[in-house]
Amino acid sequence: MNIILLGAPGAGKGTQASKIAEKYNLLHISTGDIFRANIKGGTPIGKVAKSYIDAGKLVPDEVTCDIVKDRLSKDDIQNGYMLDGFPRNVFQATELDKFAKIDLCVNIDVDLNLLQDRICGRRVCACGESYHVSTLNGATTCAKCGGELYQRADDNAETVKARLDTYQNQTAPLIEYYSKQGKLINIVCGTKTPNEVFELIAAELDKY
Ligand code: ADP
Ligand code: ZN
């Protein structure tokens, strides 16, 4: 099973991605994580990506599509994978259809008005866990692994506004793109907890 996880920044893609990858034994491929690793490592890709990410814009399609195409050419994808953060516009989706076979697209549908606060209050750990300041009670380390929590460089008010605009203009049209292909699973989150959202996703994936 090869799936796409779609949703606005802060919708909870990362949280659900870890749970889905674990339960269904899928390889988790996050373009955001790949870019951040490249920025940390000071690679040429990292240098290009940084200016776009800091501005809340999409990294150019050529760069992004090449990275994903390259990743999907490796042998370890045989048992299935989950793309998190890719595709992010219709061009990327059209390219992806040329080199991959996607079975389902899970859209995490959240109220966009909640996202500014969620993202600005987000604190993350290198292990992949994320938290919101409102529930940390002042803690500065990860409850799961003890690692030091930090704020992502692009999780500031100004960049978040640009990222939400980018989402609405470029990424949201993918909902229709996958709906037309008959592959869309829409998960309406409302006020549900992350575990409740996961239950809904799992119920759908189990049917497949
Ligand atoms: P979020 O979903 O919270 O915005 P991500 O980690 O998925 O976080 O992405 C962070 C940034 O990395 C994006 O704002 C964008 O600049 C860049 N990026 C990630 N995936 C893509 C992609 N498929 N195409 C272009 N840029 C991307
Ligand atoms: Zn941790």
Side-chain angles (χ1 to χ4, degrees), residues 2-72:
N2 299 330
I3 69 175
I4 290 167
L5 203 52
L6 196 62
K13 288 194 300 291
T15 307
Q16 298 302 328
S18 321
K19 294 175 191 279
I20 296 169
E22 193 181 344
K23 173 157 186 191
Y24 297 95
N25 194 23
L26 297 175
L27 187 69
H28 178 195
I29 302 173
S30 157
T31 42
D33 286 349
I34 293 173
F35 287 135
R36 282 185 286 277
N38 274 281
I39 291 172
K40 211 173 167 191
T43 70
I45 286 176
K47 290 195 175 107
V48 173
K50 191 177 185 320
S51 57
Y52 293 93
I53 292 178
D54 287 350
K57 295 185 178 153
L58 296 185
V59 178
D61 289 334
E62 311 86 76
V63 179
T64 312
C65 290
D66 275 355
I67 286 176
V68 176
K69 193 173 181 181
D70 183 60
R71 185 65 192 82
L72 295 185

Side-chain angles (χ1 to χ4, degrees), residues 119-195:
I119 303 174
C120 292
R122 174 159 68 183
R123 297 294 180 271
V124 297
C125 173
C127 79
E129 277 295 300
S130 60
Y131 303 85
H132 192 273
V133 281
S134 63
T135 59
L136 279 170
N137 295 318
T140 58
T141 54
C142 174
K144 206 172 171 191
C145 78
E148 201 63 37
L149 299 179
Y150 60 94
Q151 188 168 25
R152 258 170 56 177
D154 59 347
D155 280 356
N156 62 78
E158 203 183 329
T159 308
V160 169
K161 201 179 164 306
R163 283 158 67 198
L164 291 174
D165 282 348
T166 302
Y167 169 77
Q168 277 186 297
N169 297 329
Q170 303 198 50
T171 311
L174 291 178
I175 297 171
E176 199 193 331
Y177 181 92
Y178 288 107
S179 170
K180 278 187 177 156
Q181 291 193 355
K183 294 176 182 169
L184 190 76
I185 293 176
N186 198 51
I187 303 291
V188 181
C189 297
T191 55
K192 294 186 180 66
T193 64
N195 280 333

Side-chain angles (χ1 to χ4, degrees), residues 195-208:
N195 280 333
E196 288 166 344
V197 171
F198 179 63
E199 294 297 316
L200 291 177
I201 296 174
E204 292 294 333
L205 294 183
D206 283 344
K207 285 186 208 160
Y208 187 76

